[in-house]
């Protein structure tokens, strides 16, 4: 009999499958326990979408400002450089970790795991990579940055002509893609890898 | 409803594999290699330490200026609260509400709620166990949203560099402010919500 234990209240549950798009909830504390079995192909497609969005978010301006004939643009990297140049390396590191390193490493690790699993091969260092992904997840703050971009654009409209750039579009797509990735159940990955070990 | 502690079962906090609690003595999860413990180690002591450090940093985060704005011919320097008040008096109410929620309400709620969870869990209280567990999940979910102002200030100071016409400089408060966010995240990650349901011993 398959069991699952709620990590919030330690209640033991049986683990019947749930239908696609829904989640099993704990009867004691209502925490989400698990989702429908993930489709590896769909998960891979979302990961690749997120990776493309990551490149767009890094390569293009987030906001462009025009005032009295002068134009300035903020990219992810120029924001980090600006914090660094204002002698705030702590802020530069915070931005780099939460907006570049954490999402990039997570996406690379997802690809590292998903591509071999989809091809029927156990990924090298599978358990280590899965643990690292779990540890890294809280430090990725892409959706907060998207709200920050929206706030910045609204604040700037009174000051100068403000245009959201393609980079902001990339951040928005990344936000959606990461939210979608969170709804894929990781248990399937563990089981697939266990099967391939034999 | 049976609990893992009663059935002699334990779940890995990383990969959620369920196994006999006897394995916990062995030390690591057989599936992912994560150290196995029935409950997080020194959970309340660590959570208290991070919480107190966060509360201490909360003072300079609010007292120091977070942003300096030069918009010829005016110059102003703002703390978090004065920035919110300025947005409000300017008539940007929705923006003031968003910034107030993320920068003032969420950090205060986090400090208060974590304190409440720590005090009640140590006493083995059966008071509103479900509500307290849900409060913990809310804390986990909103934790990083207070980084909003740090991001906004970094963006504005990067883009508003129009020479004499307009300039935005980040203030020193961004450092303790980011520190508060990180420390409260560490505090809530250290706390073990399962202790809310454990009987007092
Ligand atoms: Zn539960
Ligand atoms: Zn494990």
């Amino acid at each position: 009999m398959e069991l699952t234990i709620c990590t919030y209240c330690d209640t033991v549950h049986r683990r019947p499958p749930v239908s696609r798009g829904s989640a099993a909830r704990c009867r004691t504390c209502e925490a989400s326990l698990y989702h429908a079995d993930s489709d590896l192909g769909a998960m891979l497609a979302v990961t690749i979408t997120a990776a493309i969005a990551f490149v767009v978010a890094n390569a293009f301006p987030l906001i462009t400002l025009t005032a009295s004939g002068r134009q300035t643009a903020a990219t992810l990297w120029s924001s980090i450089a600006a914090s660094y140049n204002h002698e705030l390396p702590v802020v530069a590191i915070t931005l780099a970790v939460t907006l570049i390193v954490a999402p990039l490493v997570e996406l690379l690790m997802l690809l590292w795991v998903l591509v071999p699993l989809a091809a029927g091969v156990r990924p090298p260092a599978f358990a280590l990579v899965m643990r690292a992904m779990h540890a890294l997840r809280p430090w990725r703050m892409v959706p907060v940055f998207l709200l920050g971009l929206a706030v910045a654009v609204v604040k700037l409209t009174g000051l100068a002509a403000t245009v959201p750039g393609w980079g902001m579009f990339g951040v928005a797509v990344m936000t959606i893609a990461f939210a979608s990735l969170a709804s894929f159940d990781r248990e399937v990955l563990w089981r697939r890898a266990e099967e391939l070990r034999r | 409803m049976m609990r893992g502690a009663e059935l002699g079962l334990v779940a890995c906090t990383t990969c959620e594999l369920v196994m006999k609690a006897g394995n916990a003595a062995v030390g690591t999860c057989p599936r992912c290699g994560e150290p196995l413990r029935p409950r997080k180690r020194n959970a309340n002591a660590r959570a208290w330490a991070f919480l107190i450090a966060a509360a201490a940093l909360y003072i300079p985060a609010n007292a120091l200026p977070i942003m300096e704005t030069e918009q010829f011919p005016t110059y102003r320097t703002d703390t978090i609260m004065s920035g919110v008040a300025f947005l409000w008096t300017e008539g940007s109410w929705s923006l003031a509400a968003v910034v107030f929620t993320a920068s003032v309400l969420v950090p205060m709620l986090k400090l208060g709620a974590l304190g409440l969870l720590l005090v009640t869990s140590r006493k083995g209280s059966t008071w509103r166990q479900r509500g307290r567990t849900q409060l913990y999940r809310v804390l986990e979910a909103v934790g990083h949203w207070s980084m909003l102002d740090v991001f906004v200030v970094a963006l504005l100071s990067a883009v508003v560099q129009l020479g004499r016409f307009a300039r935005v400089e980040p203030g020193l408060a961004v450092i303790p402010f980011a520190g508060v966010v990180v420390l409260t995240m560490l505090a809530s990650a250290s706390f073990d919500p399962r202790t809310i349901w454990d009987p007092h011993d």
Side-chain angles (χ1 to χ4, degrees):
Chain A
M1 185 179 58
E2 291 220 48
L3 293 177
T4 186
I5 298 182
C6 175
T7 49
Y8 290 94
C9 70
D10 201 30
T11 301
V12 181
H13 298 265
R14 294 211 175 88
R15 203 182 194 284
V18 293
S19 57
R20 193 152 295 284
S22 58
R25 293 198 172 273
C26 173
R27 246 189 279 178
T28 307
C29 75
E30 293 170 6
S32 156
L33 293 172
Y34 57 93
H35 297 88
D37 279 2
S38 311
D39 172 6
L40 286 191
M43 204 173 170
L44 188 57
V46 178
T47 306
I48 291 167
T49 308
I52 295 167
F54 177 87
V55 173
V56 172
N58 277 274
F60 295 95
L62 303 161
I63 302 172
T64 308
L65 204 65
T66 316
S68 53
R70 295 183 57 157
Q71 198 180 56
T72 55
T75 64
L76 202 45
W77 293 80
S78 76
S79 307
I80 293 170
S83 304
Y84 190 80
N85 294 335
H86 284 107
E87 285 163 4
L88 296 167
V90 181
V91 178
I93 291 167
T94 307
L95 293 173
V97 168
T98 58
L99 303 174
I100 297 178
V101 178
L104 176 64
V105 173
E106 183 169 357
L107 288 172
L108 292 176
M109 284 177 162
L110 271 170
L111 290 173
W112 177 273
V113 164
L114 289 170
V115 172
L117 282 184
V121 182
R122 188 182 156 91
F126 176 73
L128 189 70
V129 171
M130 290 290 280
R131 270 173 66 197
M133 254 197 284
H134 183 84
L136 207 59
R137 205 163 304 140
W139 304 106
R140 156 167 54 74
M141 301 190 187
V142 178
V144 184
F145 188 60
L146 182 61
L147 183 62
L149 279 165
V151 170
V153 167
V154 176
K155 272 191 170 182
L156 287 169
T157 42
L159 180 74
T162 312
V163 185
W166 281 107
M168 188 161 163
F169 177 71
V171 175
V173 173
M174 244 206 312
T175 301
I176 297 165
F178 273 120
S180 159
L181 282 171
S183 69
F184 283 97
D185 207 82
R186 306 286 157 119
E187 179 69 19
V188 181
L189 305 183
W190 285 109
R191 279 196 215 145
R192 186 67 60 87
E194 292 284 289
E195 285 162 23
L196 291 168
R197 196 209 291 273
R198 281 168 215 140
Chain B
M1 289 274 94
M2 290 297 274
R3 306 187 64 234
E6 294 156 3
L7 293 173
L9 294 173
V10 63
C12 170
T13 47
T14 297
C15 75
E16 296 177 16
L17 179 70
V18 175
M19 63 209 107
K20 291 221 169 67
N23 286 22
V26 179
T28 55
C29 171
R31 186 157 79 169
C32 73
E34 187 75 14
L36 268 184
R37 293 184 190 92
R39 295 291 177 266
K40 290 177 191 169
R41 196 159 42 114
N42 296 334
N44 283 17
R46 291 173 56 148
W48 272 121
F50 285 126
L51 184 60
I52 291 164
L57 274 189
Y58 189 67
I59 298 162
N62 281 282
L64 292 172
I66 192 144
M67 193 164 84
E68 291 164 30
T69 320
E70 204 179 333
Q71 190 181 344
F72 190 77
T74 58
Y75 171 86
R76 52 180 292 126
T77 151
D78 279 305
T79 61
I80 287 175
M81 270 318 292
S82 78
V84 171
F86 180 66
L87 285 173
W88 186 266
T89 53
E90 262 201 327
S92 319
W93 298 308
S94 50
L95 199 58
V98 168
V99 176
F100 180 77
T101 305
S103 307
V104 182
L105 217 52
V106 168
M108 270 171 39
L109 185 119
K110 275 168 73 178
L111 295 175
L114 262 167
L116 176 79
L117 289 176
L118 282 166
V119 169
T120 50
S121 82
R122 189 174 56 182
K123 288 185 176 158
S125 160
T126 56
W127 170 73
R128 289 180 178 241
Q129 284 163 303
R130 177 182 290 202
R132 276 152 62 205
T133 314
Q134 284 165 343
L135 178 65
Y136 177 73
R137 279 207 299 282
V138 171
L139 281 186
E140 260 191 340
V142 301
H144 54 283
W145 283 94
S146 18
M147 204 60 104
L148 181 72
D149 242 21
V150 176
F151 291 160
V152 171
V153 171
L155 279 166
L156 291 179
S157 62
V159 76
V160 187
Q161 294 298 338
L162 301 163
R164 302 271 313 264
F165 177 69
R167 237 153 37 89
V168 171
E169 307 284 327
L172 264 184
V174 286
I175 296 172
F177 198 76
V180 171
V181 181
V182 170
L183 286 169
T184 48
M185 282 175 71
L186 290 171
S188 55
S190 307
F191 179 73
D192 194 330
R194 293 169 296 186
T195 56
I196 292 170
W197 301 82
D198 286 337
H200 193 38
D201 51 21

